Amino acid sequence: MTLPALKGASTLPSDAIVAQDISFAYGSVPVLSGVTFQIKEGEFVGIIGPNGGGKTTLFKLILGFLKATSGTLKVLGKDPWEAHRDIAYVPQRLPFDKLFPISALDVVLTGRLATLPWYGAHSSEDKRLAWEALELVNLKEFAKAPFGALSGGQAQRVLIARAVVSQPKLLLLDEPTSSVDPEAQTEIYSLLQMLRGDMTVVMVTHDLQTVIERVERILCVQGTAMDLKPGEVCEHFALGLYHRPLLTPLGSASKKEKE
Ligand SMILES: Nc1ncnc2c1ncn2[C@@H]1O[C@H](COP(=O)(O)OP(=O)(O)O)[C@@H](O)[C@H]1O
Ligand SMILES: [Mg+2]
């Protein structure tokens, strides 16, 4: 029997990512330092910041592809590499040559590679899940279409289907809307909003206005990481992107500006 108090506690969301004072350098070139933040399970968080600020590097640390030089990073309660099966990643650049003859459905099925048996055939369950993922992104009728023939927005949605077909607990997207038209952008955001709750969604983006409207929390990554609420982004970013006061502790910059 579970005690009521314990039952209540167990329904609280746990941490999807906990970063404590992490630093990272490529050789002798420091990229991130003193990065501390927490993301709860089920949150939808946007990551913004200037080019070269270290956003993609932070994702590679979360995925366990790179190891922090110092500090501790826990992903889904584990060391990053141990959590990688529960993480799906939609990279900044297409992982497929658009001329390579592969259908949209086949692209989605590559998201099930980790579950393939030694003889390499996808099970009927894999195929069912791939169709379901295509339905989720509203592209079922394009299942057999060549991936290279799809529009930028459709291709991006196929890649999101490929990510979710592995049934991840954490979905990381690196600028998923950078090469799509505004209509496709809106569709992608709606899709991500639908997924949040089922999984934690963390997305790097440059669409400030849209991100302010859609996410619950924003991290600005610029050598370090700063936690912002969408409203604070309006205040800081409306007149000049990623300007210097961002490097000061939250609140003190805006106070100074008002004086
Ligand atoms: N593999 C690498 N080797 C050396 N330097 C790198 C490598 N990848 C990225 N960098 C450098 O690290 C910094 C942060 O890059 P990145 O994480 O890609 O930033 P962002 O995604 O915010 O644009 C940049 O100065 C970039 O040139
Ligand atoms: Mg990047």
Side-chain angles (χ1 to χ4, degrees), residues 51-52 54-57 92 174-175 204 206:
N51 282 333
K55 304 179 297 296
T56 299
T57 302
Q92 199 167 350
D174 201 347
E175 301 188 32
V204 172
H206 286 299

Side-chain angles (χ1 to χ4, degrees), residues 14-24 32-40 43 45 47 54 57-63 67-80 170 202 217 219-221 223-227:
S14 33
D15 293 314
I17 307 174
V18 183
Q20 270 173 333
D21 202 18
I22 53 169
S23 302
F24 179 80
L32 296 168
S33 68
V35 173
T36 297
F37 66 89
Q38 256 174 315
I39 294 177
K40 293 270 173 213
E43 271 195 299
V45 176
I47 295 187
T57 302
L58 179 62
F59 269 8
K60 288 181 179 168
L61 290 166
I62 295 168
L63 285 157
K67 201 171 173 344
T69 332
S70 63
T72 50
L73 179 61
K74 291 283 176 199
V75 182
L76 305 167
K78 302 174 189 165
D79 285 333
L170 173 61
V202 185
R217 213 147 64 75
L219 275 185
C220 179
V221 174
T224 184
M226 179 175 278
D227 230 312

